[in-house]
Amino acid sequence: MARRVVVAMLGPVHWSPPGVDLAQWRAALAEDVIDLFATLNEVEVAVAVTPADRALADALVWPGTAVYEVAEPTPNAVFAALEGYDQAAVLVGDVPDLPALTVGKLLRPLSSRPVAVAPVEGGGRGLLGVAVRLPAPQWLPTLELDTATPAEARANAPRPGDVAVTTGWRRLRGPADLATLDPAFEGWEATRALLSGSGRPT
């Protein structure tokens, strides 16, 4: 069986709901993503940060969880830092209510494709995550998760089909995204508690 790792990339967060401290918001989102990944089967879990955010990662990870310091918050930097894995997926840290099934769908195409990307649901900018068979193909461009598109990921591929596009999900990057949180959906406890403390409905 392939050895796989799912990595939470704790990149910058540029927005928080009114009345919610940005640093606390970022930490709550990241905590929920890390907790979600810890429930996944048949994968190892890790966190990636730039050196400036190492303290944030250390405060949130479960004991024994690997933390990778990377020079830039991109999937490519994470892939280059990984050793001993056959497959890897790097996902953003602002999706506290991400369904676990969505992570599985990002990894599944790697049985026949070298790269898979999950877009932001609804056509929003950026990507939800990127998965590759390791080592990552040299033709894969550096992808900024906040701005990259599936077309950008495919730009240098030998064949467009080498990059699978999987199920997307929306990221919490503005008021319209916040309104889509489903209180009946299990999980996202840290985000839910922070919103509840701010007086917002959860």
Side-chain angles (χ1 to χ4, degrees):
M1 179 179 294
R3 188 181 179 203
R4 302 184 293 181
V5 62
V6 175
V7 184
M9 179 74 252
L10 306 186
V13 171
H14 304 289
W15 173 87
S16 64
V20 178
D21 177 77
L22 182 62
Q24 291 182 322
W25 175 246
R26 183 189 187 196
L29 296 176
E31 180 178 352
D32 285 336
V33 170
I34 293 168
D35 287 351
L36 165 69
F37 288 0
T39 69
L40 300 174
N41 296 321
E42 300 179 353
V43 299
E44 297 180 45
V45 176
V47 171
V49 290
T50 59
D53 288 325
R54 180 61 189 250
L56 171 65
D58 288 342
L60 297 176
V61 296
W62 292 77
T65 301
V67 177
Y68 293 92
E69 290 189 18
V70 292
E72 59 183 16
T74 65
N76 310 68
V78 178
F79 297 145
L82 297 172
E83 295 182 359
Y85 295 101
D86 303 300
Q87 300 175 2
V90 176
L91 291 100
V92 293
D94 54 10
V95 284
D97 62 338
L98 179 71
L101 186 61
T102 303
V103 182
K105 289 180 177 179
L106 179 60
L107 287 164
R108 190 170 301 135
L110 299 183
S111 61
S112 59
R113 318 272 189 96
V115 177
V117 297
V120 173
E121 190 177 64
R125 71 189 188 282
L127 296 171
L128 175 69
V130 182
V132 301
R133 295 201 304 244
L134 294 171
Q138 293 186 352
W139 50 258
L140 184 68
T142 298
L143 299 172
E144 299 283 348
L145 290 173
D146 284 345
T147 58
T149 64
E152 183 180 340
R154 284 175 165 161
N156 300 323
R159 296 170 300 276
D162 286 339
V163 178
V165 180
T166 67
T167 302
W169 192 253
R170 53 101 185 90
R171 298 172 56 181
L172 293 188
R173 297 189 289 185
D177 302 315
L178 188 66
T180 66
L181 281 170
D182 183 355
F185 191 83
E186 293 185 3
W188 58 284
E189 281 86 359
T191 303
R192 193 189 307 263
L194 192 58
L195 290 172
S196 179
S198 73
R200 299 184 69 91
T202 53

